[in-house]
Amino acid sequence: MKKGKKASAGPRSSTRKGRRRGPFEPDPRGGKPKFYITVAYPYPSGAMHVGHGRTYTVPDVIARFHRMRGENVLYPMGFHCTGTPVVGISERIARGDPKALWLYGDLYRVPRKTLEEFVKPETIVDYFSREYRRNMTDLLLGIDWRRTFKTIDPHYKRFIEWQYRNLMARERVYRGEHPVKWCPNDRNAVGDHDLLQGDRAQVTEYTLLKFRMEDGTVLPAATLRPETLFGCTNFWVRADATYRKVKVNGETWLVSGPGREKLENQQKQVEDLGEVPGGSLVGKMVKTPHTGKPVPILPAPLVDPKVGTGLVFSVPAHAPYDYMGLMDLKKAGDPAAAGMEPIPLIAVEGYGRVPAEEICRQLNVGSQTDPKLEEATETLYHDEFTRGTVNPGIPAYGGMKVAQAREKVKADLRARGEADILYDFSMFPVVCRCNTECIVKILPDQWFLKYSDPPWKQRVKEAMGAMRLVPPEVASQFLHTVDWLDDWACTRRVGLGTTFQWDPAQIVEPLSDSVIYMAYYTIAHHMRTIPLEKVGDSLFDYVLLGKGTPEKTGVGAPLARRMRGEFRYWYPYDWRFSAKDLVSNHLTFQVFHHTAIFPAKFWPRGIVVFGIGLLEGAKMSSSKGNVVLLDDALKQYGPDVVRLFLVSAAEPWQDFDWRQSAVEATREALRRFEKTVTGILHAKPAPARPGDLEAVDRWLLSRLQSRIRLAGDTLDSFQTRQAVQQAFYGMEADLRWYRRRTDTRRPGARFVLREAARAWILLMAPFTPRACARLWKRISAAPLETAPYPRADRRRVDPRAEAAEELIERTTQDIQEILRVTGKTPRSLVLYTAPEWKHRLLRLVSQKGPDIKAVMAEAQKTPGLRERLGEVAPAAKKMAALLHDLGEERVGRARGLREPEVLRGAALFLSREFHCPVEVHPADESPQDARARESLPLRPAVTIF
RNA sequence: GCAGGGGUAGCCAAGCUUGGUCAAAGGCAGCAGACUCAAGAUCUGCCCGCGUAGGCGUGCGGGGGUUCAAAUCCCCUCCCCUGCACCA
């Protein structure tokens, strides 16, 4: 606790003068390019699991790589503590909710004493941010902890206040009202994740059509399809429901009980005037709005008092429910319904005159309570909306597309006071976690970020166009998000956070207070040394925007100048990393805010989007307990194994799967690495004498260069998995072959192996720093973190040596296959290389391509070939296949290889492999051994005795 | 529904942009052998089918097409995953 306090607030010893800075606490430095990466900071409401581990390990690997490349690398970390979740958690713990107690007590193993303190939300974020820091340190993340902060720190809040004053001045924020899902019990807006039921329900805008009774009483019917007004035959009420007579904006309305509540929550002045039983309405007449046609009020069970206003107007021609309602009445012999016929007003291709009737018949709907009506309604509404047109006979709207007519009817009627708006859910019911049924409430005094603003969107697109987005496929997602984004409510009434200055009852919404904090990191370590009362707009204006003068910042000109300098040094950030589910909000928001507040030269440079984590193939989920805690993984496997696995299991943008068997394999792999390198370093070092090197030594050095090149290139493009394939598995495969191939006690071999081991340690250092540091100590006293990353040495690339080794490897495989197929155990092996004329033929085939006729024509003219045309034809065919198999490049590289020499050099190796003597015979123009005729370039003939 | 991503051998996963070098890297699991008192680790081989000579056949969700040639390009179709807002 004490230690943690120190960690997150107030000046720390690490900022004291004279303390030696580690490589992870960078300050601006001339002569070195800067590299600034940030990750979306965690919300510390629970323990870290291995999925979080990866999110922070990937950037660390990249950071270490760039540091070794000689760059000045900044990787900071803060904690996002604003928002409602921890408030909910503390409440649940306070009331002893068993699930919460299990999650925090058993799964996260929070000490009982601490758990008791969790009744205060701040304690939760305090505790877990300390845990995060501890885990991150254990994971060997090279984070600059001098700069850490929490979003509820007073200094940070000042920063957010400054940000919003800024946005307000630029008219990016405005006040309005907004409909939200609302729990009347909690008296709070609820998000989808807080719902027991109905999380797929959307808030939809219904049109209230005002039907009027004789005495002027308004019966407002809520509808999604105001254009169907022209097909209205009657009006529906629920006979067994009680309606409320209320005064709304000077009119007398009749609505259901729930309907009344909705009106009240949607900014209407509602005054109760009494109750009316639904049954008493039946039989009366109402006039339709706009057309003024009198229609009768009829009873129908299809009416749900909870939906809309509990009043429905009936369009039996186009609404399956209404159609069945009418049919039911007719069947019951209701006289009012007897002469009533559907009035069609929409024509849809594929349907007849009365579509509702048709679809009810098709689906075999029995009555108005038949569940099949849902499907019928959905299908018909969709078809009419997308393909329907209004009948030409309808005045003013005839001939219009349904979608078009709908908007026009709505607008026209609203303008004349014959219609109003009611928000309601698209699905029912919507139930809050507290088991209360939710309603739609219009929140007044809501504040918005104007993400819908076209010029702003345009700037964001511009910024994104100049950014590097990884993987490139996400670009379209980002652009789509920019287009789709609407204004964002940026204040909240509950939760932790920064008070919203224009309405102190609200706080800045958590996704809106985390969009430019990457800039804050550049000065965070200085901020904590400044007394809070000196932190004001003039400071941020100067440091972040260059406005004003350093003298007026209130913190002293030298410090102000220094902060300004540091901001300008680090900014813009080079890369931002985050999980892919933040693309459609945070990652896009932060680009919006950067373009709003900073000049273009400080706009983001790049984004890397992460995949999500799976656990043994199933989605990781804390609440379900399907997680491996990072702490446990670190204790069990150690940081190197965890890191290596997390970055090599998949590329960062792909989903990765934590599989125990795979993690254990990684552990073994790392053991082999350490063992191999240790073994090499143990051996007596050998001086470099070029004369000592054999072909196979040059082969290893040559391979080493391509491993180095590929490992660096792939890390440059964030392909951590591919990089590990090269830096680890590729290196291992080369070394394995090398040690199988040759006597490693030779001086030349010792020299080459030492070179390889040295490079190997450096290549692995970004992934497994602890093991590498241990090994590195035997080589150098310099710190590994800043040791130079290996560079491929072109002079050591030796295509000839690689071709020779490939010949040996292929020959080994050939022999193996023959032995396997025949089941023989050889007493001796004889290899025949191909004669010169076959090499000549190969060149001919590679020139002429697979056209055998052309090859033969040429062969007839070629001395050395024309004498043996009978042999040439089948050989040419095989060579075409060989070329096809190996590719021009490899065949070309092998050209000029002295095969007999190469194979003789490997004879000892081959006889060891196959436990028998191996002879190599050079090309023989007229061999006695029939098998020798099978020989081809790059594929010696093999005879087994 | 809209948008984005994906379906490759027992499993995971590369390859697909730039068609031939792909029976298709790598890993896991499995089998056999070497080492060992034994186990583990390590090394070697096998791991679609057939095959006593390095080969042949089938094959990359399903269907169709382009091409001398398709896992790779085009069209249609089925299935899976993610996001869709006032929530971090």
Side-chain angles (χ1 to χ4, degrees):
Chain A
M1 182 77 185
K2 261 177 271 161
K3 233 176 132 190
K5 269 267 157 56
K6 215 163 112 193
S8 54
R12 272 172 57 74
S13 56
S14 58
T15 56
R16 263 207 321 260
K17 247 201 212 153
R19 180 183 171 276
R20 245 188 75 219
R21 297 258 156 74
F24 307 136
E25 298 186 348
D27 285 320
R29 258 178 87 162
K32 262 189 172 188
K34 67 95 184 178
F35 186 76
Y36 176 21
I37 58 177
T38 70
V39 198
Y41 47 25
Y43 184 78
S45 65
M48 229 179 146
H49 59 64
V50 292
H52 301 123
R54 183 171 82 141
T55 306
Y56 303 104
T57 301
V58 172
D60 186 64
V61 166
I62 300 300
R64 284 175 184 271
F65 168 63
H66 281 265
R67 211 171 274 123
M68 290 174 77
R69 280 257 168 114
E71 290 162 49
N72 198 21
V73 177
L74 173 59
Y75 179 23
M77 185 67 59
F79 295 99
H80 193 209
C81 302
T82 41
T84 50
V86 284
V87 176
I89 292 161
S90 68
E91 279 166 9
R92 265 171 268 147
I93 286 177
R95 66 165 187 264
D97 178 280
K99 207 178 156 201
L101 290 177
W102 167 81
L103 188 60
Y104 284 81
D106 299 338
L107 187 66
Y108 296 160
R109 295 195 294 270
V110 177
R112 181 170 291 271
K113 199 108 199 276
T114 312
L115 199 56
E116 285 167 13
E117 295 170 21
F118 274 13
V119 294
K120 234 186 121 207
E122 286 85 353
T123 321
I124 301 177
V125 291
D126 274 348
Y127 175 81
F128 284 114
S129 54
R130 278 198 307 280
E131 284 292 292
Y132 260 76
R133 180 166 173 177
R134 184 175 63 80
N135 285 165
M136 287 173 163
T137 306
D138 289 347
L139 193 57
L140 310 178
L141 302 185
I143 287 167
D144 186 346
W145 289 109
R146 294 175 304 162
R147 300 168 191 263
T148 194
F149 63 87
K150 293 206 215 71
T151 52
I152 50 174
D153 292 345
H155 286 73
Y156 185 78
K157 289 182 172 177
R158 288 278 161 100
F159 169 67
I160 297 303
E161 286 165 12
W162 168 81
Q163 177 195 342
Y164 274 82
R165 276 194 286 276
N166 220 298
L167 291 168
M168 192 66 86
R170 294 165 197 258
E171 297 181 344
R172 303 297 194 194
V173 178
Y174 71 95
R175 182 160 72 177
E177 52 177 45
H178 190 66
V180 294
K181 287 182 187 169
W182 177 267
C183 172
N185 183 41
D186 294 349
R187 306 192 52 75
N188 194 37
V190 286
D192 284 344
H193 54 282
D194 284 325
L195 295 174
L196 287 179
Q197 254 188 88
D199 59 329
R200 288 183 53 91
Q202 294 180 335
V203 173
T204 335
E205 185 184 295
Y206 289 81
T207 304
L208 284 183
L209 291 183
K210 294 184 188 172
F211 287 74
R212 289 177 204 268
M213 295 181 42
E214 204 82 46
D215 62 357
T217 303
V218 171
L219 270 62
T223 180
L224 288 168
R225 310 201 301 163
E227 76 281 4
T228 58
L229 165 68
F230 300 101
C232 179
T233 56
N234 61 294
F235 201 85
W236 298 121
V237 297
R238 183 74 171 250
D240 56 354
T242 304
Y243 289 84
R244 310 290 167 93
K245 192 173 244 182
V246 290
K247 192 156 203 167
V248 176
N249 302 341
E251 293 177 325
T252 304
W253 286 21
L254 218 54
V255 292
S256 66
R260 197 211 82 98
E261 204 183 338
K262 286 172 200 170
L263 294 177
E264 195 166 31
N265 278 293
Q266 297 186 19
Q267 297 294 296
K268 295 225 176 348
Q269 292 296 323
V270 180
E271 196 184 316
D272 284 305
L273 299 175
E275 298 189 342
V276 177
S280 73
L281 296 167
V282 174
K284 296 195 169 152
M285 300 297 281
V286 285
K287 273 190 187 160
T288 61
H290 185 64
T291 51
K293 182 177 124 184
V295 295
I297 298 176
L298 300 175
L302 62 89
V303 176
D304 185 343
K306 285 186 186 163
V307 178
T309 51
L311 298 168
V312 178
F313 72 93
S314 172
V315 186
H318 298 287
Y321 274 104
D322 295 343
Y323 178 78
M324 290 315 295
L326 183 59
M327 289 303 119
D328 286 353
L329 278 186
K330 286 192 179 202
K331 257 184 244 164
D334 189 301
M340 203 173 277
E341 289 306 322
I343 305 173
L345 77 142
I346 293 167
V348 197
E349 201 192 303
Y351 288 91
R353 223 176 65 86
V354 184
E357 177 186 17
E358 206 173 319
I359 196 156
C360 285
R361 204 173 336 108
Q362 273 168 21
L363 292 175
N364 210 5
V365 176
S367 76
Q368 63 184 296
T369 50
D370 192 326
K372 288 197 286 281
L373 277 170
E374 272 309 311
E375 190 198 333
T377 302
E378 210 170 288
T379 310
L380 185 58
Y381 279 26
H382 178 261
D383 290 346
E384 292 192 343
F385 177 71
T386 51
R387 308 204 310 263
T389 48
V390 177
N391 285 348
I394 311 280
Y397 307 102
M400 289 174 103
K401 296 243 182 259
V402 166
Q404 217 178 343
R406 179 170 302 172
E407 291 310 312
K408 188 151 184 356
V409 171
K410 194 199 280 188
D412 292 351
L413 268 64
R414 280 193 71 189
R416 289 206 301 271
E418 290 184 294
D420 209 325
I421 294 290
L422 181 79
Y423 292 99
D424 211 342
F425 298 121
S426 59
M427 289 162 75
F428 293 88
V430 176
V431 183
C432 176
R433 247 184 219 168
C434 71
N435 232 329
T436 311
E437 196 162 338
C438 296
I439 56 165
V440 177
K441 184 179 173 71
I442 293 181
L443 290 180
D445 301 323
Q446 183 60 264
W447 296 79
F448 295 89
L449 284 162
K450 212 172 175 180
Y451 292 147
S452 67
D453 184 45
W456 198 2
K457 283 181 194 257
Q458 196 44 47
R459 267 166 89 81
V460 170
K461 284 185 182 170
E462 222 175 275
M464 283 180 173
M467 285 167 75
R468 282 180 61 193
L469 302 174
V470 179
E473 301 90 82
V474 298
S476 62
Q477 250 185 88
F478 273 108
L479 292 176
H480 180 256
T481 303
V482 175
D483 282 333
W484 160 86
L485 264 178
D486 202 349
D487 294 346
W488 181 264
C490 62
T491 58
R492 258 335 80 85
R493 283 173 168 76
V494 287
L496 304 180
T498 305
T499 304
F500 191 69
Q501 49 203 302
W502 293 277
D503 182 354
Q506 302 197 59
I507 57 158
V508 177
E509 181 273 330
L511 281 174
S512 306
D513 74 2
S514 297
V515 281
I516 53 167
Y517 68 93
M518 311 73 152
Y520 191 83
Y521 283 132
T522 66
I523 54 167
H525 52 314
H526 295 303
M527 288 303 296
R528 62 171 34 141
T529 66
I530 302 172
L532 186 62
E533 62 274 14
K534 292 194 175 172
V535 178
D537 284 3
S538 55
L539 178 64
F540 292 120
D541 276 345
Y542 174 71
V543 170
L544 300 177
L545 299 180
K547 277 168 39 182
T549 64
E551 288 77 17
K552 290 202 179 135
T553 56
V555 301
L559 179 57
R561 276 203 195 92
R562 188 164 163 202
M563 289 167 76
R564 173 70 181 155
E566 293 195 20
F567 168 72
R568 291 179 45 150
Y569 176 82
W570 293 113
Y571 235 60
Y573 68 72
D574 292 274
W575 292 98
R576 177 145 189 86
F577 294 71
S578 172
K580 63 181 169 192
D581 46 342
L582 297 189
V583 169
S584 62
N585 45 59
H586 166 74
L587 286 172
T588 303
F589 292 0
Q590 53 102 22
V591 180
F592 267 90
H593 284 259
H594 273 83
T595 66
I597 290 177
F598 296 111
K601 66 173 173 176
F602 292 134
W603 290 359
R605 291 217 176 123
I607 293 177
V608 181
V609 172
F610 284 147
I612 56 158
L614 304 175
L615 181 54
E616 306 290 342
K619 191 171 175 174
M620 265 192 232
S621 159
S622 303
S623 56
K624 286 182 189 136
N626 190 41
V627 285
V628 171
L629 297 189
L630 185 60
D631 210 28
D632 294 340
L634 287 170
K635 283 200 177 91
Q636 192 174 355
Y637 301 105
D640 284 336
V641 171
V642 172
R643 290 170 61 102
L644 185 59
F645 177 79
L646 288 175
V647 301
S648 67
E651 299 296 3
W653 41 90
Q654 299 172 322
D655 297 348
F656 80 101
D657 192 359
W658 180 274
R659 283 169 185 265
Q660 198 181 329
S661 67
V663 180
E664 279 164 7
T666 305
R667 177 175 59 194
E668 294 312 326
L670 191 60
R671 260 188 209 154
R672 288 197 304 275
F673 164 70
E674 289 193 74
K675 214 176 122 193
T676 307
V677 173
T678 308
I680 293 170
L681 296 181
H682 258 305
K684 248 188 311 175
R689 277 197 308 253
D692 292 337
L693 296 192
E694 295 184 0
V696 69
D697 301 330
R698 291 196 305 275
W699 170 82
L700 184 65
L701 287 179
S702 181
R703 297 284 289 183
L704 179 59
Q705 305 317 311
S706 61
R707 300 296 180 197
I708 289 171
R709 185 171 48 79
L710 288 168
D713 287 353
T714 48
L715 275 185
D716 256 336
S717 50
F718 306 99
Q719 299 175 71
T720 55
R721 175 191 161 88
Q722 195 52 43
V724 170
Q725 290 287 331
Q726 294 300 332
F728 185 75
Y729 294 100
M731 282 292 297
E732 192 184 31
D734 290 345
L735 283 170
R736 194 182 297 149
W737 174 254
Y738 180 77
R739 307 171 115 220
R740 180 175 164 193
R741 258 290 272 130
T742 192
D743 175 8
T744 54
R745 290 165 304 186
R746 293 178 295 110
R750 292 210 308 271
F751 166 72
V752 169
L753 281 174
R754 214 179 161 79
E755 287 290 300
R758 184 192 149 86
W760 204 10
I761 296 169
L762 293 170
L763 291 178
M764 288 298 289
F767 307 107
T768 57
R770 177 165 292 174
C772 290
R774 208 156 41 220
L775 296 166
W776 185 248
K777 261 196 287 194
R778 294 160 166 267
I779 292 183
S780 165
L784 179 64
E785 284 80 10
T786 47
Y789 195 81
R791 289 201 170 277
D793 182 348
R794 295 183 122 197
R795 288 164 309 177
R796 284 180 160 177
V797 176
D798 189 339
R800 184 66 56 87
E802 294 203 30
E805 209 53 34
E806 190 176 336
L807 172 65
I808 294 164
E809 212 176 331
R810 285 172 52 82
T811 305
T812 311
Q813 277 165 11
D814 269 351
I815 297 170
Q816 244 159 25
E817 182 165 2
I818 296 165
L819 294 179
R820 182 167 52 81
V821 173
T822 58
K824 284 181 180 167
T825 307
R827 274 179 296 122
S828 77
L829 289 163
V830 180
L831 306 179
Y832 298 94
T833 56
E836 172 52 29
W837 69 266
K838 286 189 178 169
H839 286 270
R840 203 174 302 157
L841 180 60
L842 179 62
R843 279 197 292 278
L844 193 57
V845 172
S846 91
Q847 279 161 20
K848 296 285 168 187
D851 185 353
I852 296 293
K853 272 187 197 154
V855 171
M856 291 309 289
E858 194 63 30
Q860 277 177 346
K861 290 184 263 169
T862 311
L865 294 181
R866 67 174 164 229
E867 297 83 357
R868 51 184 111 244
L869 286 175
E871 279 179 281
V872 166
K877 240 185 208 167
K878 283 187 187 167
M879 294 202 192
L882 187 75
L883 268 167
H884 176 267
D885 268 4
L886 293 180
E888 295 280 351
E889 199 195 316
R890 281 154 88 192
V891 172
R893 197 166 54 186
R895 194 163 292 153
L897 203 61
R898 288 211 286 264
E899 295 191 9
E901 211 168 283
V902 169
L903 290 171
R904 269 200 201 107
L908 199 63
F909 161 71
L910 291 171
S911 63
R912 222 172 35 233
E913 285 284 307
F914 298 106
H915 311 291
C916 71
V918 175
E919 284 175 44
V920 178
H921 290 304
D924 188 337
E925 302 296 325
S926 49
Q928 293 167 359
D929 187 335
R931 295 238 181 260
R933 283 193 211 111
E934 306 282 321
S935 70
L936 290 174
L938 289 179
R939 181 192 254 200
V942 179
T943 307
I944 300 167
F945 292 102

